[in-house]
Amino acid sequence: GESVGLHLPTLSVQEGDNSIINCAYSNSASDYFIWYKQESGKGPQFIIDIRSNMDKRQGQRVTVLLNKTVKHLSLQIAATQPGDSAVYFCAEKGSGGSNYKLTFGKGTLLTVNP
Amino acid sequence: NAGVTQTPKFHILKIGQSMTLQCTQDMNHNYMYWYRQDPGMGLKLIYYSVGAGITDKGEVPNGYNVSRSTTEDFPLRLELAAPSQTSVYFCASSPQGAGELFFGEGSRLTVL
């Protein structure tokens, strides 16, 4: 079945450093991936997405990399700020019957130290 | 726009009781979802709807029911509450299915 997992449950960085959050997925048929940010006590918020026909996509201070060969996804945050402290989830969309649904990973807690 | 609104934010239920978590969205989105989030875990899909009158099961539907009589509302009903249903419940909506989901603030439910 589908599964989305995280390599590291927690990540602590210094303010101003770059952060890299990793995610592994097992469904090679997944064609769309999303990163969400969840601040304490709030619902998840969309950060950035990438389709399977791309290797890289950049947003404002964030970059998502997709390696389909090893089924690996990463989120890079440049110049990490205290406001970036949150849990980050990767999610994948399957194909066919799973086309309307996202499967979420367990999440990585990012802590930014001032 | 208020976005996705969930009520109540907090609730305590006794084992065996029933209740309904309300969810409404004002963005005219066709797709709506209910997820549950247990401590330190990701989100598990309970039920989803692709439009008014259409609902389908997600990964963990047992013990829950939904209805979608209007585009705006997608209530989640818990029948015969059990301690295993203690969780934070998130409702979400989307204009295009499994893409950018807009989440509510969550409803924290405790079953004692």
Side-chain angles (χ1 to χ4, degrees):
Chain A
E2 297 176 27
S3 70
V4 179
L6 276 294
H7 290 308
L8 293 172
T10 61
L11 178 64
S12 183
V13 301
Q14 291 299 122
E15 182 178 356
D17 287 351
N18 295 335
S19 302
I20 300 176
I21 301 170
N22 297 303
C23 177
Y25 64 95
S26 61
N27 184 1
S28 57
S30 294
D31 59 3
Y32 180 63
F33 303 88
I34 306 177
W35 282 98
Y36 283 87
K37 173 187 180 183
Q38 185 178 26
E39 296 176 0
S40 181
K42 296 189 176 182
Q45 285 183 297
F46 172 92
I47 302 173
I48 191 168
D49 58 0
I50 188 168
R51 299 202 175 276
S52 59
N53 61 354
M54 303 170 69
D55 297 324
K56 179 180 179 179
R57 190 164 190 222
Q58 287 185 292
Q60 191 172 13
R61 282 201 307 118
V62 295
T63 300
V64 56
L65 299 177
L66 176 61
N67 186 331
K68 294 180 288 293
T69 302
V70 295
K71 288 184 278 189
H72 184 269
L73 192 69
S74 68
L75 177 71
Q76 300 179 1
I77 304 174
T80 314
Q81 301 168 0
D84 294 326
S85 293
V87 177
Y88 290 81
F89 294 96
C90 64
E92 64 176 313
K93 179 179 78 71
S95 57
S98 302
N99 199 40
Y100 302 119
K101 300 180 286 188
L102 288 178
T103 300
F104 283 80
K106 288 191 174 74
T108 292
L109 173 62
L110 174 65
T111 301
V112 181
N113 302 309
Chain B
N1 286 350
V4 178
T5 302
Q6 293 182 233
T7 57
K9 287 189 175 7
F10 303 92
H11 196 79
I12 299 175
L13 264 183
K14 292 184 179 177
I15 295 171
Q17 288 184 328
S18 300
M19 79 162 298
T20 299
L21 301 179
Q22 302 291 344
C23 176
T24 187
Q25 52 97 2
D26 61 359
M27 297 173 282
N28 201 34
H29 289 167
N30 282 326
Y31 299 86
M32 294 189 74
Y33 304 83
W34 273 107
Y35 285 89
R36 60 175 287 173
Q37 184 176 33
D38 297 323
M41 301 293 286
L43 290 89
K44 298 289 186 185
L45 182 64
I46 306 171
Y47 270 95
Y48 68 102
S49 169
V50 302
I54 306 170
T55 63
D56 206 349
K57 296 178 181 179
E59 300 170 78
V60 291
N62 291 344
Y64 306 95
N65 276 302
V66 293
S67 60
R68 185 92 182 274
S69 56
T70 66
T71 298
E72 294 78 21
D73 300 306
F74 191 41
L76 177 71
R77 178 123 180 113
L78 283 74
E79 305 282 1
L80 298 174
S84 61
Q85 293 178 303
T86 294
S87 190
V88 181
Y89 292 85
F90 287 100
C91 179
S93 72
S94 170
Q96 297 177 335
E100 180 178 358
L101 269 58
F102 295 80
F103 283 85
E105 296 279 286
S107 296
R108 183 177 296 274
L109 181 68
T110 301
V111 181
L112 299 174

